[in-house]
Amino acid sequence: MTLLAVILFLNAAFNAIAWPQFLRRVAKDPRAKDANGRATKFLIVHIVLISIALTLALLSLLAGIAALTGAL
């Protein structure tokens, strides 16, 4: 179970570190907003994908904790 917990923690850490940085870059991309300053589908799709990745990171963290505490 310790190996499982470590893998889940690494997954959570990677997602929590990598995706917010990517979102900052996507938000600065000229394709992110239209001429009126409104979010485009490009930005919205990336926000949804990053939200899913961060949700999975949270679930990985919780599952890692559960694995270490013996709740699994």
Side-chain angles (χ1 to χ4, degrees):
M1 282 300 200
T2 303
L3 178 60
L4 173 64
V6 169
I7 292 169
L8 289 167
F9 290 145
L10 289 173
N11 178 59
F14 172 80
N15 282 307
I17 293 168
W19 289 112
Q21 299 296 327
F22 182 69
L23 180 58
R24 285 188 201 103
R25 294 182 80 186
V26 167
K28 291 179 185 177
D29 191 296
R31 297 172 289 178
K33 299 206 173 156
D34 64 13
N36 296 323
R38 284 183 258 144
T40 62
K41 289 182 182 182
F42 173 83
L43 180 60
I44 293 168
V45 165
H46 282 87
I47 288 172
V48 169
L49 292 173
I50 293 167
S51 297
I52 292 168
L54 291 175
T55 300
L56 290 173
L58 177 61
L59 293 174
S60 291
L61 177 66
L62 296 174
I65 292 169
L68 282 181
T69 60
L72 288 180

Short mmCIF file of all heavy atoms in Angstrom, two decimals:
data_model
loop_
_atom_site.label_atom_id
_atom_site.label_comp_id
_atom_site.label_asym_id
_atom_site.label_seq_id
_atom_site.Cartn_x
_atom_site.Cartn_y
_atom_site.Cartn_z
N MET A 1 0.82 -1.20 0.00
CA MET A 1 0.00 0.00 0.00
C MET A 1 0.86 1.27 0.00
O MET A 1 0.41 2.29 -0.49
CB MET A 1 -0.93 0.01 1.22
CG MET A 1 -2.13 -0.88 1.05
SD MET A 1 -3.10 -0.35 -0.35
CE MET A 1 -4.62 -1.10 0.01
N THR A 2 2.04 1.18 0.56
CA THR A 2 2.90 2.36 0.59
C THR A 2 3.29 2.79 -0.81
O THR A 2 3.27 3.98 -1.12
CB THR A 2 4.16 2.07 1.43
OG1 THR A 2 3.76 1.67 2.74
CG2 THR A 2 5.03 3.30 1.53
N LEU A 3 3.61 1.82 -1.67
CA LEU A 3 3.95 2.15 -3.06
C LEU A 3 2.76 2.81 -3.75
O LEU A 3 2.93 3.80 -4.47
CB LEU A 3 4.39 0.90 -3.82
CG LEU A 3 4.72 1.10 -5.30
CD1 LEU A 3 5.87 2.11 -5.45
CD2 LEU A 3 5.07 -0.21 -5.96
N LEU A 4 1.58 2.28 -3.54
CA LEU A 4 0.37 2.87 -4.11
C LEU A 4 0.21 4.32 -3.64
O LEU A 4 -0.06 5.22 -4.45
CB LEU A 4 -0.86 2.06 -3.73
CG LEU A 4 -2.22 2.66 -4.11
CD1 LEU A 4 -2.35 2.75 -5.62
CD2 LEU A 4 -3.35 1.85 -3.52
N ALA A 5 0.39 4.55 -2.36
CA ALA A 5 0.25 5.90 -1.81
C ALA A 5 1.27 6.84 -2.42
O ALA A 5 0.94 7.97 -2.78
CB ALA A 5 0.39 5.86 -0.29
N VAL A 6 2.50 6.40 -2.57
CA VAL A 6 3.55 7.24 -3.16
C VAL A 6 3.20 7.60 -4.60
O VAL A 6 3.34 8.76 -5.01
CB VAL A 6 4.93 6.55 -3.07
CG1 VAL A 6 5.97 7.27 -3.91
CG2 VAL A 6 5.38 6.44 -1.62
N ILE A 7 2.75 6.63 -5.36
CA ILE A 7 2.36 6.89 -6.75
C ILE A 7 1.21 7.89 -6.82
O ILE A 7 1.22 8.82 -7.63
CB ILE A 7 2.01 5.58 -7.48
CG1 ILE A 7 3.26 4.72 -7.65
CG2 ILE A 7 1.35 5.85 -8.83
CD1 ILE A 7 3.00 3.31 -8.11
N LEU A 8 0.23 7.72 -5.94
CA LEU A 8 -0.90 8.65 -5.93
C LEU A 8 -0.46 10.05 -5.51
O LEU A 8 -0.92 11.05 -6.07
CB LEU A 8 -1.99 8.12 -5.00
CG LEU A 8 -2.74 6.88 -5.52
CD1 LEU A 8 -3.56 6.25 -4.41
CD2 LEU A 8 -3.60 7.24 -6.71
N PHE A 9 0.44 10.16 -4.53
CA PHE A 9 0.95 11.46 -4.11
C PHE A 9 1.75 12.13 -5.23
O PHE A 9 1.64 13.34 -5.45
CB PHE A 9 1.80 11.35 -2.85
CG PHE A 9 1.02 11.02 -1.61
CD1 PHE A 9 1.58 10.21 -0.63
CD2 PHE A 9 -0.26 11.48 -1.40
CE1 PHE A 9 0.87 9.90 0.52
CE2 PHE A 9 -0.99 11.18 -0.26
CZ PHE A 9 -0.41 10.38 0.71
N LEU A 10 2.56 11.35 -5.95
CA LEU A 10 3.33 11.91 -7.07
C LEU A 10 2.40 12.41 -8.17
O LEU A 10 2.62 13.48 -8.74
CB LEU A 10 4.30 10.87 -7.62
CG LEU A 10 5.49 10.54 -6.73
CD1 LEU A 10 6.29 9.37 -7.32
CD2 LEU A 10 6.38 11.76 -6.54
N ASN A 11 1.36 11.64 -8.44
CA ASN A 11 0.37 12.05 -9.44
C ASN A 11 -0.30 13.35 -9.01
O ASN A 11 -0.44 14.28 -9.82
CB ASN A 11 -0.67 10.96 -9.62
CG ASN A 11 -1.74 11.36 -10.60
OD1 ASN A 11 -1.46 11.66 -11.75
ND2 ASN A 11 -2.98 11.41 -10.14
N ALA A 12 -0.70 13.42 -7.76
CA ALA A 12 -1.36 14.64 -7.26
C ALA A 12 -0.42 15.83 -7.33
O ALA A 12 -0.82 16.92 -7.76
CB ALA A 12 -1.84 14.42 -5.83
N ALA A 13 0.82 15.64 -6.94
CA ALA A 13 1.79 16.74 -6.96
C ALA A 13 2.06 17.22 -8.38
O ALA A 13 2.08 18.42 -8.65
CB ALA A 13 3.09 16.30 -6.30
N PHE A 14 2.25 16.28 -9.30
CA PHE A 14 2.50 16.66 -10.69
C PHE A 14 1.35 17.49 -11.24
O PHE A 14 1.55 18.55 -11.83
CB PHE A 14 2.70 15.43 -11.57
CG PHE A 14 2.78 15.77 -13.03
CD1 PHE A 14 3.94 16.26 -13.58
CD2 PHE A 14 1.66 15.65 -13.85
CE1 PHE A 14 4.00 16.62 -14.92
CE2 PHE A 14 1.71 16.01 -15.18
CZ PHE A 14 2.89 16.49 -15.72
N ASN A 15 0.13 17.01 -11.04
CA ASN A 15 -1.04 17.73 -11.56
C ASN A 15 -1.19 19.10 -10.90
O ASN A 15 -1.53 20.08 -11.57
CB ASN A 15 -2.30 16.90 -11.37
CG ASN A 15 -2.41 15.81 -12.41
OD1 ASN A 15 -2.34 16.07 -13.59
ND2 ASN A 15 -2.56 14.58 -11.96
N ALA A 16 -0.96 19.17 -9.60
CA ALA A 16 -1.12 20.44 -8.89
C ALA A 16 -0.05 21.45 -9.28
O ALA A 16 -0.28 22.66 -9.23
CB ALA A 16 -1.08 20.20 -7.38
N ILE A 17 1.11 20.98 -9.70
CA ILE A 17 2.20 21.88 -10.10
C ILE A 17 2.10 22.25 -11.58
O ILE A 17 2.25 23.41 -11.96
CB ILE A 17 3.57 21.26 -9.78
CG1 ILE A 17 3.75 21.16 -8.27
CG2 ILE A 17 4.70 22.05 -10.41
CD1 ILE A 17 4.92 20.29 -7.84
N ALA A 18 1.88 21.26 -12.43
CA ALA A 18 1.94 21.47 -13.88
C ALA A 18 0.74 22.21 -14.45
O ALA A 18 0.91 23.15 -15.24
CB ALA A 18 2.09 20.13 -14.58
N TRP A 19 -0.46 21.81 -14.09
CA TRP A 19 -1.64 22.37 -14.76
C TRP A 19 -1.90 23.84 -14.48
O TRP A 19 -2.29 24.58 -15.40
CB TRP A 19 -2.87 21.51 -14.47
CG TRP A 19 -2.78 20.20 -15.18
CD1 TRP A 19 -2.63 18.97 -14.62
CD2 TRP A 19 -2.79 19.98 -16.59
NE1 TRP A 19 -2.56 18.01 -15.59
CE2 TRP A 19 -2.66 18.60 -16.81
CE3 TRP A 19 -2.91 20.82 -17.69
CZ2 TRP A 19 -2.64 18.04 -18.08
CZ3 TRP A 19 -2.89 20.27 -18.95
CH2 TRP A 19 -2.76 18.90 -19.14
N PRO A 20 -1.74 24.35 -13.26
CA PRO A 20 -1.94 25.79 -13.07
C PRO A 20 -0.97 26.64 -13.90
O PRO A 20 -1.35 27.69 -14.43
CB PRO A 20 -1.72 26.00 -11.57
CG PRO A 20 -2.11 24.69 -10.97
CD PRO A 20 -1.61 23.66 -11.96
N GLN A 21 0.27 26.15 -14.04
CA GLN A 21 1.24 26.87 -14.89
C GLN A 21 0.76 26.89 -16.34
O GLN A 21 0.88 27.90 -17.04
CB GLN A 21 2.62 26.19 -14.80
CG GLN A 21 3.21 26.17 -13.42
CD GLN A 21 3.49 27.54 -12.89
OE1 GLN A 21 3.83 28.45 -13.63
NE2 GLN A 21 3.34 27.71 -11.59
N PHE A 22 0.25 25.76 -16.80
CA PHE A 22 -0.26 25.66 -18.16
C PHE A 22 -1.44 26.59 -18.36
O PHE A 22 -1.56 27.26 -19.39
CB PHE A 22 -0.64 24.21 -18.46
CG PHE A 22 -1.13 23.99 -19.85
CD1 PHE A 22 -0.27 24.10 -20.94
CD2 PHE A 22 -2.45 23.67 -20.10
CE1 PHE A 22 -0.72 23.89 -22.23
CE2 PHE A 22 -2.91 23.47 -21.38
CZ PHE A 22 -2.04 23.58 -22.45
N LEU A 23 -2.32 26.68 -17.37
CA LEU A 23 -3.48 27.56 -17.47
C LEU A 23 -3.06 29.02 -17.61
O LEU A 23 -3.64 29.77 -18.39
CB LEU A 23 -4.40 27.39 -16.26
CG LEU A 23 -5.65 28.28 -16.25
CD1 LEU A 23 -6.50 28.04 -17.50
CD2 LEU A 23 -6.45 28.05 -14.99
N ARG A 24 -2.02 29.41 -16.88
CA ARG A 24 -1.52 30.79 -17.02
C ARG A 24 -1.06 31.07 -18.45
O ARG A 24 -1.32 32.14 -19.00
CB ARG A 24 -0.38 31.04 -16.04
CG ARG A 24 -0.84 31.21 -14.63
CD ARG A 24 0.29 31.65 -13.71
NE ARG A 24 -0.08 31.32 -12.35
CZ ARG A 24 0.39 30.30 -11.66
NH1 ARG A 24 1.31 29.52 -12.17
NH2 ARG A 24 -0.03 30.08 -10.44
N ARG A 25 -0.39 30.09 -19.05
CA ARG A 25 0.08 30.27 -20.42
C ARG A 25 -1.08 30.29 -21.41
O ARG A 25 -1.08 31.10 -22.34
CB ARG A 25 1.06 29.16 -20.77
CG ARG A 25 2.34 29.24 -19.94
CD ARG A 25 3.31 28.19 -20.32
NE ARG A 25 3.99 28.65 -21.53
CZ ARG A 25 4.84 27.92 -22.21
NH1 ARG A 25 5.10 26.71 -21.83
NH2 ARG A 25 5.41 28.40 -23.29
N VAL A 26 -2.07 29.44 -21.19
CA VAL A 26 -3.24 29.41 -22.07
C VAL A 26 -4.00 30.73 -21.97
O VAL A 26 -4.44 31.28 -22.98
CB VAL A 26 -4.15 28.21 -21.72
CG1 VAL A 26 -5.50 28.34 -22.40
CG2 VAL A 26 -3.48 26.91 -22.11
N ALA A 27 -4.14 31.26 -20.76
CA ALA A 27 -4.88 32.51 -20.56
C ALA A 27 -4.21 33.69 -21.27
O ALA A 27 -4.88 34.62 -21.70
CB ALA A 27 -5.02 32.80 -19.08
N LYS A 28 -2.90 33.64 -21.41
CA LYS A 28 -2.16 34.71 -22.10
C LYS A 28 -2.14 34.54 -23.61
O LYS A 28 -1.78 35.46 -24.34
CB LYS A 28 -0.72 34.77 -21.58
CG LYS A 28 -0.61 35.24 -20.16
CD LYS A 28 0.84 35.23 -19.71
CE LYS A 28 0.95 35.59 -18.25
NZ LYS A 28 2.34 35.51 -17.77
N ASP A 29 -2.54 33.39 -24.08
CA ASP A 29 -2.55 33.10 -25.52
C ASP A 29 -3.56 34.01 -26.21
O ASP A 29 -4.66 34.21 -25.70
CB ASP A 29 -2.92 31.63 -25.73
CG ASP A 29 -2.69 31.17 -27.16
OD1 ASP A 29 -3.36 31.69 -28.06
OD2 ASP A 29 -1.86 30.27 -27.36
N PRO A 30 -3.22 34.55 -27.37
CA PRO A 30 -4.16 35.43 -28.08
C PRO A 30 -5.47 34.73 -28.48
O PRO A 30 -6.49 35.39 -28.68
CB PRO A 30 -3.40 35.87 -29.33
CG PRO A 30 -2.04 35.28 -29.24
CD PRO A 30 -1.94 34.46 -28.02
N ARG A 31 -5.45 33.41 -28.57
CA ARG A 31 -6.67 32.67 -28.94
C ARG A 31 -7.63 32.54 -27.77
O ARG A 31 -8.76 32.09 -27.95
CB ARG A 31 -6.30 31.27 -29.44
CG ARG A 31 -5.46 31.30 -30.70
CD ARG A 31 -4.97 29.94 -31.04
NE ARG A 31 -3.94 29.54 -30.07
CZ ARG A 31 -3.32 28.37 -30.07
NH1 ARG A 31 -3.63 27.46 -30.97
NH2 ARG A 31 -2.39 28.11 -29.17
N ALA A 32 -7.22 32.93 -26.55
CA ALA A 32 -8.03 32.74 -25.36
C ALA A 32 -9.21 33.70 -25.28
O ALA A 32 -10.23 33.39 -24.68
CB ALA A 32 -7.18 32.87 -24.11
N LYS A 33 -9.08 34.87 -25.89
CA LYS A 33 -10.15 35.87 -25.82
C LYS A 33 -10.42 36.43 -27.21
O LYS A 33 -9.53 36.57 -28.03
CB LYS A 33 -9.76 36.99 -24.87
CG LYS A 33 -9.53 36.44 -23.46
CD LYS A 33 -9.75 37.45 -22.41
CE LYS A 33 -9.67 36.73 -21.08
NZ LYS A 33 -9.33 37.55 -20.01
N ASP A 34 -11.68 36.77 -27.43
CA ASP A 34 -12.04 37.36 -28.72
C ASP A 34 -11.77 38.86 -28.71
O ASP A 34 -11.23 39.40 -27.73
CB ASP A 34 -13.49 37.03 -29.09
CG ASP A 34 -14.52 37.64 -28.14
OD1 ASP A 34 -14.16 38.51 -27.32
OD2 ASP A 34 -15.69 37.23 -28.22
N ALA A 35 -12.15 39.54 -29.76
CA ALA A 35 -11.90 40.97 -29.89
C ALA A 35 -12.59 41.79 -28.81
O ALA A 35 -12.14 42.88 -28.46
CB ALA A 35 -12.35 41.45 -31.27
N ASN A 36 -13.68 41.26 -28.25
CA ASN A 36 -14.40 41.96 -27.19
C ASN A 36 -13.91 41.60 -25.79
O ASN A 36 -14.48 42.06 -24.80
CB ASN A 36 -15.90 41.66 -27.29
CG ASN A 36 -16.49 42.18 -28.59
OD1 ASN A 36 -16.11 43.24 -29.06
ND2 ASN A 36 -17.40 41.42 -29.17
N GLY A 37 -12.89 40.74 -25.71
CA GLY A 37 -12.34 40.35 -24.42
C GLY A 37 -13.05 39.19 -23.75
O GLY A 37 -12.77 38.86 -22.60
N ARG A 38 -13.98 38.56 -24.47
CA ARG A 38 -14.70 37.43 -23.91
C ARG A 38 -13.93 36.13 -24.14
O ARG A 38 -13.22 35.99 -25.13
CB ARG A 38 -16.09 37.31 -24.54
CG ARG A 38 -17.04 38.35 -23.99
CD ARG A 38 -18.42 38.18 -24.57
NE ARG A 38 -18.52 39.24 -25.60
CZ ARG A 38 -19.14 39.11 -26.76
NH1 ARG A 38 -19.75 38.01 -27.06
NH2 ARG A 38 -19.16 40.11 -27.61
N ALA A 39 -14.12 35.19 -23.23
CA ALA A 39 -13.44 33.89 -23.34
C ALA A 39 -13.92 33.16 -24.59
O ALA A 39 -15.11 33.14 -24.90
CB ALA A 39 -13.72 33.05 -22.10
N THR A 40 -12.97 32.55 -25.29
CA THR A 40 -13.30 31.76 -26.48
C THR A 40 -13.44 30.29 -26.09
O THR A 40 -13.14 29.90 -24.96
CB THR A 40 -12.18 31.89 -27.53
OG1 THR A 40 -10.97 31.38 -26.97
CG2 THR A 40 -11.99 33.34 -27.98
N LYS A 41 -13.87 29.48 -27.05
CA LYS A 41 -13.98 28.05 -26.81
C LYS A 41 -12.60 27.46 -26.47
O LYS A 41 -12.50 26.52 -25.70
CB LYS A 41 -14.60 27.34 -28.00
CG LYS A 41 -16.07 27.64 -28.16
CD LYS A 41 -16.67 26.89 -29.31
CE LYS A 41 -18.14 27.26 -29.44
NZ LYS A 41 -18.80 26.53 -30.51
N PHE A 42 -11.57 28.01 -27.06
CA PHE A 42 -10.20 27.58 -26.77
C PHE A 42 -9.92 27.66 -25.27
O PHE A 42 -9.44 26.70 -24.67
CB PHE A 42 -9.22 28.47 -27.56
CG PHE A 42 -7.78 28.25 -27.24
CD1 PHE A 42 -7.06 27.22 -27.85
CD2 PHE A 42 -7.11 29.08 -26.35
CE1 PHE A 42 -5.72 27.03 -27.56
CE2 PHE A 42 -5.77 28.89 -26.06
CZ PHE A 42 -5.07 27.86 -26.67
N LEU A 43 -10.23 28.78 -24.67
CA LEU A 43 -9.99 28.96 -23.24
C LEU A 43 -10.93 28.10 -22.41
O LEU A 43 -10.51 27.45 -21.45
CB LEU A 43 -10.14 30.44 -22.85
CG LEU A 43 -9.91 30.78 -21.38
CD1 LEU A 43 -8.51 30.38 -20.94
CD2 LEU A 43 -10.16 32.25 -21.13
N ILE A 44 -12.19 28.06 -22.77
CA ILE A 44 -13.17 27.31 -22.00
C ILE A 44 -12.84 25.82 -21.98
O ILE A 44 -12.88 25.17 -20.93
CB ILE A 44 -14.59 27.55 -22.55
CG1 ILE A 44 -14.99 29.01 -22.30
CG2 ILE A 44 -15.60 26.59 -21.94
CD1 ILE A 44 -16.23 29.45 -23.03
N VAL A 45 -12.47 25.27 -23.13
CA VAL A 45 -12.11 23.85 -23.20
C VAL A 45 -10.90 23.57 -22.31
O VAL A 45 -10.88 22.58 -21.58
CB VAL A 45 -11.83 23.43 -24.66
CG1 VAL A 45 -11.12 22.09 -24.73
CG2 VAL A 45 -13.12 23.39 -25.45
N HIS A 46 -9.91 24.44 -22.35
CA HIS A 46 -8.73 24.23 -21.51
C HIS A 46 -9.06 24.36 -20.03
O HIS A 46 -8.52 23.61 -19.21
CB HIS A 46 -7.61 25.19 -21.93
CG HIS A 46 -6.89 24.73 -23.16
ND1 HIS A 46 -7.32 25.05 -24.41
CD2 HIS A 46 -5.80 23.94 -23.31
CE1 HIS A 46 -6.51 24.50 -25.30
NE2 HIS A 46 -5.59 23.80 -24.66
N ILE A 47 -9.93 25.27 -19.69
CA ILE A 47 -10.33 25.40 -18.28
C ILE A 47 -11.04 24.13 -17.81
O ILE A 47 -10.78 23.65 -16.70
CB ILE A 47 -11.21 26.65 -18.07
CG1 ILE A 47 -10.35 27.91 -18.18
CG2 ILE A 47 -11.92 26.61 -16.72
CD1 ILE A 47 -11.14 29.20 -18.19
N VAL A 48 -11.89 23.58 -18.64
CA VAL A 48 -12.59 22.35 -18.28
C VAL A 48 -11.59 21.20 -18.11
O VAL A 48 -11.63 20.46 -17.12
CB VAL A 48 -13.67 21.98 -19.33
CG1 VAL A 48 -14.21 20.58 -19.12
CG2 VAL A 48 -14.79 23.01 -19.30
N LEU A 49 -10.68 21.06 -19.05
CA LEU A 49 -9.69 19.98 -18.97
C LEU A 49 -8.79 20.12 -17.73
O LEU A 49 -8.52 19.14 -17.05
CB LEU A 49 -8.83 19.96 -20.24
CG LEU A 49 -9.55 19.55 -21.52
CD1 LEU A 49 -8.62 19.73 -22.71
CD2 LEU A 49 -10.04 18.12 -21.43
N ILE A 50 -8.37 21.32 -17.44
CA ILE A 50 -7.52 21.56 -16.29
C ILE A 50 -8.30 21.34 -15.00
O ILE A 50 -7.76 20.79 -14.02
CB ILE A 50 -6.88 22.96 -16.37
CG1 ILE A 50 -5.89 22.99 -17.54
CG2 ILE A 50 -6.19 23.34 -15.06
CD1 ILE A 50 -5.42 24.37 -17.95
N SER A 51 -9.56 21.71 -14.98
CA SER A 51 -10.40 21.46 -13.80
C SER A 51 -10.53 19.97 -13.53
O SER A 51 -10.46 19.52 -12.39
CB SER A 51 -11.78 22.07 -13.99
OG SER A 51 -11.68 23.47 -14.11
N ILE A 52 -10.70 19.20 -14.58
CA ILE A 52 -10.78 17.75 -14.43
C ILE A 52 -9.47 17.20 -13.90
O ILE A 52 -9.45 16.36 -12.97
CB ILE A 52 -11.17 17.08 -15.77
CG1 ILE A 52 -12.61 17.44 -16.15
CG2 ILE A 52 -10.97 15.56 -15.71
CD1 ILE A 52 -13.00 17.07 -17.57
N ALA A 53 -8.34 17.67 -14.44
CA ALA A 53 -7.03 17.21 -13.98
C ALA A 53 -6.81 17.54 -12.52
O ALA A 53 -6.28 16.72 -11.76
CB ALA A 53 -5.93 17.81 -14.84
N LEU A 54 -7.22 18.73 -12.09
CA LEU A 54 -7.04 19.11 -10.69
C LEU A 54 -7.99 18.35 -9.77
O LEU A 54 -7.63 18.03 -8.63
CB LEU A 54 -7.20 20.62 -10.53
CG LEU A 54 -6.07 21.45 -11.18
CD1 LEU A 54 -6.38 22.93 -11.09
CD2 LEU A 54 -4.73 21.13 -10.57
N THR A 55 -9.17 18.03 -10.26
CA THR A 55 -10.08 17.20 -9.48
C THR A 55 -9.50 15.80 -9.29
O THR A 55 -9.55 15.23 -8.19
CB THR A 55 -11.46 17.11 -10.16
OG1 THR A 55 -11.99 18.44 -10.28
CG2 THR A 55 -12.42 16.23 -9.39
N LEU A 56 -8.93 15.26 -10.36
CA LEU A 56 -8.28 13.95 -10.26
C LEU A 56 -7.07 14.01 -9.32
O LEU A 56 -6.79 13.04 -8.61
CB LEU A 56 -7.86 13.46 -11.64
CG LEU A 56 -9.01 13.06 -12.57
CD1 LEU A 56 -8.49 12.75 -13.96
CD2 LEU A 56 -9.77 11.89 -12.00
N ALA A 57 -6.37 15.14 -9.30
CA ALA A 57 -5.25 15.30 -8.37
C ALA A 57 -5.74 15.25 -6.93
O ALA A 57 -5.14 14.59 -6.08
CB ALA A 57 -4.52 16.62 -8.64
N LEU A 58 -6.84 15.92 -6.66
CA LEU A 58 -7.41 15.89 -5.32
C LEU A 58 -7.85 14.48 -4.94
O LEU A 58 -7.58 14.02 -3.82
CB LEU A 58 -8.59 16.86 -5.21
CG LEU A 58 -9.32 16.87 -3.88
CD1 LEU A 58 -8.38 17.29 -2.74
CD2 LEU A 58 -10.52 17.81 -3.94
N LEU A 59 -8.49 13.79 -5.86
CA LEU A 59 -8.91 12.42 -5.60
C LEU A 59 -7.71 11.50 -5.37
O LEU A 59 -7.75 10.61 -4.51
CB LEU A 59 -9.77 11.90 -6.74
CG LEU A 59 -11.13 12.57 -6.89
CD1 LEU A 59 -11.83 12.08 -8.15
CD2 LEU A 59 -11.99 12.34 -5.66
N SER A 60 -6.63 11.72 -6.11
CA SER A 60 -5.40 10.95 -5.91
C SER A 60 -4.82 11.20 -4.54
O SER A 60 -4.37 10.27 -3.86
CB SER A 60 -4.36 11.30 -6.98
OG SER A 60 -4.75 10.84 -8.24
N LEU A 61 -4.82 12.45 -4.12
CA LEU A 61 -4.32 12.80 -2.79
C LEU A 61 -5.15 12.09 -1.71
O LEU A 61 -4.59 11.48 -0.79
CB LEU A 61 -4.36 14.31 -2.59
CG LEU A 61 -3.93 14.81 -1.21
CD1 LEU A 61 -2.45 14.52 -0.98
CD2 LEU A 61 -4.22 16.30 -1.10
N LEU A 62 -6.46 12.16 -1.84
CA LEU A 62 -7.33 11.52 -0.85
C LEU A 62 -7.16 10.00 -0.86
O LEU A 62 -7.14 9.36 0.20
CB LEU A 62 -8.78 11.91 -1.10
CG LEU A 62 -9.11 13.40 -0.92
CD1 LEU A 62 -10.55 13.68 -1.34
CD2 LEU A 62 -8.85 13.85 0.50
N ALA A 63 -7.02 9.41 -2.04
CA ALA A 63 -6.81 7.97 -2.12
C ALA A 63 -5.47 7.58 -1.54
O ALA A 63 -5.33 6.54 -0.90
CB ALA A 63 -6.92 7.52 -3.58
N GLY A 64 -4.44 8.42 -1.75
CA GLY A 64 -3.13 8.16 -1.15
C GLY A 64 -3.19 8.18 0.37
O GLY A 64 -2.59 7.33 1.03
N ILE A 65 -3.90 9.15 0.90
CA ILE A 65 -4.08 9.23 2.35
C ILE A 65 -4.83 8.01 2.85
O ILE A 65 -4.46 7.40 3.87
CB ILE A 65 -4.79 10.53 2.74
CG1 ILE A 65 -3.88 11.73 2.46
CG2 ILE A 65 -5.20 10.50 4.21
CD1 ILE A 65 -4.57 13.08 2.55
N ALA A 66 -5.87 7.62 2.14
CA ALA A 66 -6.64 6.44 2.52
C ALA A 66 -5.77 5.18 2.47
O ALA A 66 -5.87 4.31 3.35
CB ALA A 66 -7.85 6.28 1.61
N ALA A 67 -4.89 5.09 1.48
CA ALA A 67 -4.00 3.92 1.38
C ALA A 67 -3.03 3.88 2.55
O ALA A 67 -2.75 2.81 3.09
CB ALA A 67 -3.24 3.97 0.05
N LEU A 68 -2.52 5.03 2.96
CA LEU A 68 -1.59 5.05 4.07
C LEU A 68 -2.25 4.77 5.42
O LEU A 68 -1.65 4.17 6.31
CB LEU A 68 -0.87 6.41 4.15
CG LEU A 68 0.25 6.65 3.16
CD1 LEU A 68 0.87 8.02 3.39
CD2 LEU A 68 1.32 5.57 3.26
N THR A 69 -3.48 5.20 5.56
CA THR A 69 -4.17 5.01 6.83
C THR A 69 -4.86 3.65 6.93
O THR A 69 -5.41 3.32 7.97
CB THR A 69 -5.21 6.12 7.08
OG1 THR A 69 -6.17 6.09 6.03
CG2 THR A 69 -4.56 7.48 7.14
N GLY A 70 -4.84 2.89 5.84
CA GLY A 70 -5.45 1.57 5.85
C GLY A 70 -6.92 1.58 5.57
O GLY A 70 -7.61 0.60 5.79
N ALA A 71 -7.44 2.69 5.08
CA ALA A 71 -8.87 2.78 4.78
C ALA A 71 -9.24 2.08 3.48
O ALA A 71 -10.41 1.87 3.20
CB ALA A 71 -9.30 4.24 4.73
N LEU A 72 -8.24 1.71 2.68
CA LEU A 72 -8.52 1.01 1.42
C LEU A 72 -8.45 -0.49 1.63
O LEU A 72 -7.71 -1.01 2.34
CB LEU A 72 -7.51 1.41 0.34
CG LEU A 72 -7.67 2.80 -0.23
CD1 LEU A 72 -6.60 3.05 -1.29
CD2 LEU A 72 -9.03 3.00 -0.84
#
